[in-house]
Amino acid sequence: MTIVEFHQAAMEALAGEPDSAILINLVKQAQELADMVGWADSVIDKDDKVSDAFTVLKDRARVQHEKTGNQNIAILHDAVSDLLSAIYKHDDDLAPSKFENDDSA
């Protein structure tokens, strides 16, 4: 499953009332993707499209969790946060932030 496919599946699942099996599978997919991020040859989120899309996904998860109280939605939310952190770390390793070692300030 690609990051785009994962995002689409998670958004679709959160559009309704997902059952626990679907949520648990999505959590596993997010964890697998986070583990694989380091193998990417180039920056993943160059234009912040992934960040933006996953922010919307996390917001939807938060709303669904508030409605249903389903703890698996909260776990999915956290797994998506971990995936985003892995992407940020990977991208920063390949193209360090211009602010980190900026001696001109």
Side-chain angles (χ1 to χ4, degrees):
M1 176 175 279
T2 67
I3 289 174
V4 172
E5 292 168 338
F6 168 77
H7 179 266
Q8 291 170 340
M11 289 295 282
E12 183 177 311
L14 292 171
E17 292 185 31
D19 68 17
S20 292
I22 290 170
L23 293 169
I24 290 168
N25 183 51
L26 287 169
V27 168
K28 289 178 184 177
Q29 291 295 323
Q31 292 167 338
E32 287 177 16
L33 286 168
D35 289 343
M36 293 179 355
V37 161
W39 291 96
D41 292 334
S42 62
V43 172
I44 295 170
D45 195 18
K46 181 173 53 172
D47 299 324
D48 294 328
K49 290 180 182 178
V50 174
S51 299
D52 294 345
F54 281 117
T55 297
V56 171
L57 172 60
K58 288 174 29 176
D59 289 345
R60 183 175 284 184
R62 185 177 308 278
V63 168
Q64 281 292 81
H65 178 261
E66 289 172 0
K67 283 184 191 175
T68 67
N70 186 330
Q71 291 302 311
N72 289 316
I73 295 174
I75 294 168
L76 175 61
H77 178 279
D78 292 349
V80 171
S81 292
D82 292 345
L83 173 56
L84 270 176
S85 292
I87 291 169
Y88 295 151
K89 181 180 180 339
H90 170 268
D91 288 359
D92 193 54
D93 287 347
L94 289 181
S97 170
K98 65 179 181 178
F99 303 108
E100 280 189 11
N101 294 317
D102 187 2
D103 295 329
S104 64

